[in-house]
């Protein structure tokens, strides 16, 4: 199994769920994580990543970390300083239409969105509200382009799109697609030589459907136009995702593995969870399992069954622990606080 991994955690693309998978794998196999300095939760995002943002990195003794997966703005030469040469690089993309709708709800406080009532209003005259010079403008336009390290305000030309796609292909071994999450997990397992149980997950950092809005066709077109670079990246890698599956796995085996994955997840849900699945934040009884609430979104979480044996409880708890709590716990384990 591959233990050296770089995951570019693209915002609002099921990336918290992937991060939980990496956290559990790393914890099980005693791997080291490239944590943000001081145990923060982002690697000085939205700045381009620098090796010195990582706790315990020093250019004099370049210690290599196994897993780099916290939010960052990608910059390959700096990333390569903190992970072994053999590291596998991957990321996950999401349809820019849903991504923008999600970003709008989640980052409602961002300068570009705070003065409008709806996404329609924003898109009717975006430059009235969007200022590329603002420090949080990245959430409002071509968010994936930005996270991959490129300029989200560049003009769209065939040449530029070609260059971005080629650069991403040169840096990353494969890209997953969040709309096909289960297929993505099967591909991930294949690419990393992991077993099925390592890629099992429950959806984390998901929104209550009451805060999701359906979009008219004209708004969908405006979103694609406004996020043209993201759209070009997404359509390209959505195509190559299926080409890779056909080449390396085949549709039949993919269907078989997806079925097995879903059965295993259903079995774990029956073992671990109270009720049928995720619940509203106010209904989460154990406060340590309550996810961070953000913007206008209601982020769902889980309740564990009572009376589980110790080992099962531990396994179940790790599956439903929100990203910030899990990250903090792993950080304390890797860098135990010095007693005064």
């Amino acid at each position: 199994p591959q233990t050296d991994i770089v995951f570019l955690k693209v915002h609002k693309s099921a990336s918290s769920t992937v991060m939980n998978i990496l956290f559990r794998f790393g914890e099980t196999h005693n791997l080291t994580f490239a944590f943000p300095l001081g145990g923060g939760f982002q690697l000085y995002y939205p700045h381009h990543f620098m090796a010195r943002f990582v706790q315990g990195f020093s250019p004099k003794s370049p210690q290599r970390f196994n897993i780099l997966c916290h939010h960052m703005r990608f910059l390959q030469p700096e990333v390569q300083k903190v992970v072994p040469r053999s590291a596998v690089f991957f990321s996950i993309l999401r349809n820019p239409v849903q991504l923008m709708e999600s970003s709008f709800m989640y980052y409602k406080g961002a300068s570009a969105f705070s003065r409008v009532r709806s996404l329609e209003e924003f898109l009717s005259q975006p430059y009235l509200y969007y200022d590329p010079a603002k420090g949080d403008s990245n959430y409002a336009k071509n968010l994936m382009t930005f996270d991959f390290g490129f300029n989200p305000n560049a003009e769209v030309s065939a040449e530029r799109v070609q260059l971005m796609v080629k650069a991403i292909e040169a840096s990353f071994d494969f890209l997953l697609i969040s709309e096909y999450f289960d297929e993505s997990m099967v591909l991930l397992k294949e690419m990393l030589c992991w077993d099925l149980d390592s890629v099992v997950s429950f959806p984390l950092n998901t929104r209550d459907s009451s805060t999701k809005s359906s979009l008219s066709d004209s708004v969908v077109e405006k979103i694609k136009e406004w996020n043209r670079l993201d759209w070009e990246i997404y359509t390209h890698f959505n195509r190559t995702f299926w080409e890779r599956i056909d080449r390396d796995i085949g549709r039949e085996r993919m269907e078989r593995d997806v079925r097995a994955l879903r059965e295993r997840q259903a079995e774990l849900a029956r073992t671990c969870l109270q009720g049928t699945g995720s619940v509203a934040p106010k209904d989460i009884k154990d406060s340590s399992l309550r996810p961070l609430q953000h913007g206008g979104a209601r982020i769902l979480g889980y309740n564990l069954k009572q009376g589980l044996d110790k080992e099962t409880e531990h396994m179940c708890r790790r599956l439903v622990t929100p990203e910030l709590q899990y990250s903090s716990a792993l950080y304390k384990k890797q860098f135990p606080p010095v007693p005064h």
Side-chain angles (χ1 to χ4, degrees):
Q2 181 58 256
T3 54
D4 300 322
I5 294 157
V6 173
F7 171 52
L8 177 63
K9 185 172 186 285
V10 169
H11 286 75
K12 316 287 7 113
S13 305
S15 55
S16 296
T17 309
V18 178
M19 196 176 193
N20 176 272
I21 288 169
L22 296 174
F23 279 170
R24 283 183 285 129
F25 187 86
E27 186 180 17
T28 304
H29 296 84
N30 265 325
L31 303 176
T32 57
F33 289 89
F35 285 108
L37 278 176
F41 300 113
Q42 300 197 334
L43 290 154
Y44 291 81
Y45 186 87
H47 297 285
H48 271 108
F49 176 82
M50 302 292 280
R52 59 184 163 78
F53 297 164
V54 172
Q55 181 73 43
F57 174 81
S58 129
K60 288 189 278 300
S61 67
Q63 184 211 344
R64 303 289 177 149
F65 299 87
N66 299 116
I67 299 180
L68 174 62
C69 63
H70 287 71
H71 273 309
M72 62 170 158
R73 188 173 185 204
F74 190 67
L75 187 60
Q76 190 175 8
E78 288 292 314
V79 168
Q80 278 175 323
K81 294 177 185 175
V82 300
V83 294
R85 287 192 69 87
S86 61
V88 172
F89 283 63
F90 78 100
S91 185
I92 187 163
L93 302 176
R94 183 181 186 185
N95 185 315
V97 176
Q98 281 70 47
L99 180 77
M100 175 121 209
E101 188 273 331
S102 176
S103 189
F104 180 78
M105 281 309 290
Y106 201 80
Y107 300 111
K108 196 68 191 75
S111 56
F113 296 150
S114 59
R115 308 204 310 282
V116 294
R117 284 185 303 279
S118 66
L119 192 47
E120 284 88 319
E121 193 182 336
F122 173 80
L123 290 162
S124 64
Q125 298 173 284
Y127 282 108
L128 209 59
Y129 311 105
Y130 173 79
D131 175 358
K134 287 270 174 29
D136 60 1
S137 66
N138 50 298
Y139 295 118
K141 185 174 189 177
N142 288 316
L143 181 49
M144 294 190 287
T145 300
F146 182 89
D147 285 357
F148 275 93
F150 305 109
N151 175 7
N153 295 294
E155 59 178 313
V156 185
S157 65
E159 293 77 37
R160 174 170 296 271
V161 169
Q162 186 71 17
L163 282 171
M164 283 195 328
V165 163
K166 287 273 176 280
I168 293 171
E169 283 176 337
S171 302
F172 289 83
D173 295 286
F174 56 98
L175 295 189
L176 306 175
I177 302 288
S178 66
E179 281 74 22
Y180 304 102
F181 192 77
D182 294 341
E183 291 83 355
S184 290
M185 291 307 99
V186 171
L187 182 63
L188 182 65
K189 153 182 98 68
E190 288 296 306
M191 294 290 155
L192 301 179
C193 299
W194 288 7
D195 59 3
L196 189 69
D197 261 17
S198 298
V199 297
V200 164
S201 64
F202 296 144
L204 294 175
N205 205 19
T206 55
R207 280 189 297 156
D208 180 348
S209 57
S210 72
T211 61
K212 295 183 183 171
S213 50
S214 58
L215 306 167
S216 67
D217 292 351
S218 74
V219 167
V220 167
E221 287 312 310
K222 280 179 180 162
I223 293 177
K224 285 184 195 171
E225 208 34 65
W226 178 246
N227 298 283
R228 193 76 219 181
L229 293 172
D230 272 13
W231 182 253
E232 296 291 343
I233 289 175
Y234 177 78
T235 48
H236 175 86
F237 287 105
N238 187 13
R239 194 180 68 246
T240 56
F241 174 80
W242 293 103
E243 286 168 2
R244 165 156 267 170
I245 284 169
D246 288 337
R247 193 184 70 223
D248 295 350
I249 301 176
R251 297 282 168 119
E252 263 174 69
R253 197 170 110 231
M254 173 55 81
E255 279 168 33
R256 217 169 41 236
D257 282 1
V258 164
R259 227 177 8 254
L261 179 66
R262 287 176 182 161
E263 279 162 16
R264 182 71 182 117
Q265 278 166 191
E267 183 189 334
L268 280 167
R270 289 192 295 273
T271 302
C272 295
L273 303 180
Q274 274 179 41
T276 49
S278 51
V279 295
K282 62 173 177 26
D283 298 325
I284 301 169
K285 298 182 185 69
D286 179 341
S287 61
S288 69
L289 296 179
R290 219 170 274 154
L292 173 76
Q293 300 300 313
H294 207 294
R298 276 218 314 233
I299 308 298
L300 304 174
Y302 298 92
N303 284 317
L304 292 180
K305 273 191 178 146
Q306 300 296 297
L308 297 171
D309 66 79
K310 220 172 141 173
E311 200 178 324
T312 308
E313 209 269 352
H314 180 67
M315 173 196 67
C316 293
R317 179 169 287 274
R318 289 163 59 194
L319 276 162
V320 302
T321 299
E323 168 186 335
L324 303 190
Q325 287 93 311
Y326 207 156
S327 184
S328 295
L330 290 173
Y331 180 80
K332 286 196 190 88
K333 207 167 146 182
Q334 193 167 308
F335 300 102
V338 183
H340 292 304

